């Protein structure tokens, strides 16, 4: 492991005005997205869609890296370049999702533990050879009566830390993603309590597994009201609660926090990030690693037609620019005026 290289890569992933595009939908998830626009999900349609992001001119101004799925890392875009090559050519770091999904946690009604540790070292070594420079593993926690359980908290934290240590050993920066789901009628206070518990355990396990904090990133949920909670916290409340919990549990040695959007609307995800960056000084970069919040308008504009690629790219670049501005707290509602081509 080259410690210096890991730290340099981690810092590049949260460079000023930049964030990460999460395009690592597994085959089942991308099928759901394509179903929503009536497009068949095939290997060809998946790369046809995703290459609109990889080839969007100027994306590198606000996108530092892209999280890919195994299939995509091995595919080529229409001009024949491999996906890692096409990204490298414009200075965007290729990354790879290495977990194999959230699976039922025995004895814990409906809860999951994320799997994928078997053979992880060998897969990471191959991914590095294929050009990946960072990785991602997502753990999922749901809030319900008596949940998350201690078993769910401890099993997922342990797996995240084992994963992070192996990734670093293979020269890959680990993005550690403990996601407390927003689905449910719970309050923002419940989200705050559960997130603080889950993230504290994650950092405890990262310590036990000797993970180099300077060479990793955290990808958490924001502290937010449950999606069906009658009282929805304001943008300011979300920003303050999220930074408050991060301050309690995330060591300043971690270079950056790259939030997931988790089902928030694209604009709300930008507003929340912007409000956090307006709060004043914090020891880590506060950035984004959005999937749906960066892709949703582009997916709708693309609609399965290659001819719509320019419109999809314009929609994507617009969201990337808005989130880039949110990195410095300089995003404004006026920026949402529809860009040309959308
Ligand atoms: C891109 O979505 C990923 C989906 O992975 P699975 O197909 O394995 O469920 C997801 O992990 C994503 O990287 C993050 O959750 C961020 O995406 P959102 O849409 O929450 O910003």
């Amino acid at each position: 492991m080259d410690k210096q290289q890991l730290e340099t890569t981690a810092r590049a992933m949260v460079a000023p005005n930049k964030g990460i595009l999460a395009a690592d939908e597994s085959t089942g998830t991308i099928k759901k997205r394509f179903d929503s626009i009536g497009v068949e999900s095939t290997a060809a349609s998946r790369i046809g869609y995703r290459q609109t992001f990889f080839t969007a001119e100027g994306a590198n101004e606000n996108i530092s890296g892209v999280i890919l799925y195994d299939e995509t890392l091995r595919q080529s875009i229409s001009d024949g370049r491999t996906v890692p090559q096409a990204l490298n050519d414009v200075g965007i770091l290729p990354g790879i999702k290495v977990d194999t999904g959230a699976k039922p946690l025995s004895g814990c009604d409906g809860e999951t533990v994320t799997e994928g540790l078997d053979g992880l070292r060998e897969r990471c070594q191959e991914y590095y050879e294929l050009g990946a420079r960072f990785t991602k593993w997502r753990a999922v926690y749901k809030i319900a009566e008596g949940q998350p359980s201690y078993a769910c908290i401890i099993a997922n934290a342990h797996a995240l830390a084992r994963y992070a240590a192996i990734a670093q050993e293979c020269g890959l920066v680990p993005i550690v993603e403990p996601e407390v789901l927003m689905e449910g009628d719970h309050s923002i206070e419940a989200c705050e309590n559960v997130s603080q518990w889950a993230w504290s355990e994650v950092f405890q396990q990262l310590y036990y597994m000797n993970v180099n904090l300077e060479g990793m990133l955290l990808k958490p949920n924001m502290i937010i009201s449950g999606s069906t909670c009658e009282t929805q916290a304001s943008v300011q409340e979300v920003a303050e609660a999220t930074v408050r919990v991060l301050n309690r549990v995330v060591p300043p040695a971690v270079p950056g926090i790259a939030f997931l959007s988790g089902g928030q609307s694209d604009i709300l995800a930008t507003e929340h990030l912007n409000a956090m960056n307006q709060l004043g000084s914090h020891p880590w970069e506060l950035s984004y690693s959005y999937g749906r919040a960066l892709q949703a308008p582009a997916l709708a504009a693309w609609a399965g037609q290659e001819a719509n690629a320019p419109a999809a790219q314009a929609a994507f670049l617009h969201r990337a620019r808005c989130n880039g501005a949110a990195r410095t707290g300089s995003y404004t509602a006026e920026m949402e005026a529809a860009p040309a081509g959308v």
Side-chain angles (χ1 to χ4, degrees):
M1 183 220 313
D2 182 338
K3 206 163 160 278
Q4 194 54 52
Q5 194 197 331
L6 284 174
E7 296 177 15
T8 303
T9 302
R11 280 196 302 274
M13 290 164 68
V14 289
N17 306 313
K18 293 188 187 184
I20 297 162
L21 167 66
D24 60 313
E25 300 86 355
S26 51
T27 311
T29 303
I30 195 73
K31 181 179 179 317
K32 273 192 232 155
R33 305 275 187 268
F34 280 17
D35 283 350
S36 74
I37 53 163
V39 171
E40 192 189 351
S41 179
T42 63
S45 64
R46 291 191 286 270
I47 188 64
Y49 168 62
R50 286 168 168 154
Q51 72 173 354
T52 61
F53 301 119
F54 309 153
T55 58
E57 212 178 316
N60 53 4
E61 285 169 33
N62 301 110
I63 299 293
S64 57
V66 180
I67 315 174
L68 304 165
Y69 186 56
D70 180 275
E71 174 190 69
T72 324
L73 187 73
R74 302 171 193 279
Q75 285 179 313
S76 297
I77 62 170
S78 16
D79 67 10
R81 286 177 298 161
T82 65
V83 169
Q85 187 60 55
L87 293 173
N88 278 323
D89 285 349
V90 290
I92 294 179
L93 290 159
I96 179 80
K97 181 230 297 289
V98 297
D99 67 67
T100 55
K103 304 287 163 59
L105 181 59
S106 301
C108 299
D109 189 27
E111 293 189 296
T112 61
V113 61
T114 301
E115 297 188 351
L117 289 171
D118 289 352
L120 181 60
R121 176 176 289 104
E122 292 71 24
R123 283 190 291 126
C124 282
Q125 287 166 347
E126 187 197 4
Y127 288 143
Y128 188 95
E129 291 306 315
L130 288 170
R133 288 297 174 266
F134 69 93
T135 55
K136 195 207 78 174
W137 178 294
R138 171 174 172 254
V140 182
Y141 312 84
K142 74 172 174 173
I143 301 180
E145 187 65 36
Q147 292 181 340
S149 63
Y150 178 71
C152 175
I153 293 283
I154 197 91
N156 278 297
H158 181 80
L160 276 166
R162 289 279 321 279
Y163 138 75
I166 291 171
Q168 288 189 334
E169 181 189 303
C170 298
L172 298 163
V173 170
I175 297 182
V176 172
E177 181 180 8
E179 175 176 6
V180 177
L181 296 175
M182 62 185 270
E183 283 74 31
D185 61 2
H186 53 270
S187 63
I188 186 172
E189 289 80 15
C191 179
E192 175 164 349
N193 291 337
V194 169
S195 301
Q196 185 169 334
W197 184 24
W199 302 347
S200 299
E201 194 59 47
V202 166
F203 279 98
Q204 188 66 55
Q205 294 289 330
L206 289 169
Y207 171 74
Y208 289 145
M209 297 298 159
N210 298 311
V211 172
N212 168 22
L213 296 182
E214 289 83 352
M216 62 157 275
L217 297 181
L218 181 71
K219 175 168 174 170
N221 52 285
M222 297 177 193
I223 306 297
I224 199 167
S225 313
S227 52
T228 54
C229 178
E230 279 180 14
T231 313
Q232 289 291 312
S234 67
V235 168
Q236 192 63 21
E237 286 168 331
V238 168
E240 286 173 10
T242 305
V243 173
R244 180 165 65 236
V245 178
L246 292 172
N247 269 318
R248 289 175 184 154
V249 302
V250 183
V254 174
I257 316 282
F259 292 100
L260 60 91
S261 57
Q264 302 176 51
S265 76
D266 46 358
I267 292 180
L268 198 52
T270 306
E271 288 175 345
H272 284 148
L273 180 64
N274 190 58
M276 281 186 247
N277 276 307
Q278 284 180 343
L279 284 177
S281 73
H282 33 75
W284 350 259
E285 297 293 331
L286 291 179
S287 182
Y288 49 94
S289 174
Y290 295 157
R292 286 159 287 182
L294 273 170
Q295 292 188 44
L299 178 69
W302 176 66
Q305 303 297 321
E306 203 185 323
N308 293 336
Q313 290 179 327
F316 166 60
L317 290 171
H318 174 64
R319 289 264 46 90
R321 270 194 294 272
C322 289
N323 286 304
R327 288 288 322 272
T328 49
S330 57
Y331 164 77
T332 59
E334 289 68 46
M335 287 183 71
E336 295 297 345
V342 182

